[in-house]
Amino acid sequence: MTTDAFLADCRARLAFDLLSNTWNAVVLWALRDGPRRPVELRERIGGISSKVLTETLRRLQFNGLIDRQEVPDAPSRVEYQLTALGRTLLAPIDAVGAWAFEYGDEVMAAQEAACASPPQSSRPAC
């Protein structure tokens, strides 16, 4: 990796952009066990609106991470599944999840301590 690995138009930045969207990683993880219909994804994920799920599915499909399959039933329905490329992101998502499980309490304690101290102009709102 070069020293310019995180500058504009670099591949590392592309990967971080894909994972920085809150719902991208969640939807990919929810698809890890096989194809799912949108209603199944909403139930499995929880807390995601239909609109946001649709936008996320379109974005993931645009980036080649999932496939949309029309199921020939009456009434017609669609399912989404990971592509081979999408499956390659499961290990990094799992690693970030493991990090969050191990260090999440420390991050939350730091946030609470920052919110308990006098306000600073450079600090995000609590």
Side-chain angles (χ1 to χ4, degrees), residues 28-41:
L28 291 171
W29 192 255
L31 289 170
R32 75 189 180 281
D33 295 326
R36 301 236 183 247
R37 294 177 25 222
V39 68
E40 294 171 324
L41 285 170

Side-chain angles (χ1 to χ4, degrees), residues 65 82-93:
L65 302 174
L82 292 173
T83 62
L85 180 61
R87 287 205 163 280
T88 65
L89 277 176
L90 293 178
I93 291 169

Side-chain angles (χ1 to χ4, degrees), residues 49-109:
S49 69
S50 294
K51 178 183 183 240
V52 171
L53 177 60
T54 298
E55 291 169 352
T56 303
L57 291 168
R58 287 178 181 160
R59 181 174 43 254
L60 293 171
Q61 185 179 9
F62 174 81
N63 285 293
L65 302 174
I66 64 170
D67 279 330
R68 179 182 187 271
Q69 300 290 322
E70 291 193 27
V71 179
D73 280 345
S76 64
R77 61 185 176 124
V78 297
E79 289 183 338
Y80 292 89
Q81 64 184 2
L82 292 173
T83 62
L85 180 61
R87 287 205 163 280
T88 65
L89 277 176
L90 293 178
I93 291 169
D94 188 45
V96 170
W99 181 90
F101 184 79
E102 185 169 344
Y103 298 106
D105 290 339
E106 291 179 48
V107 173
M108 290 171 41

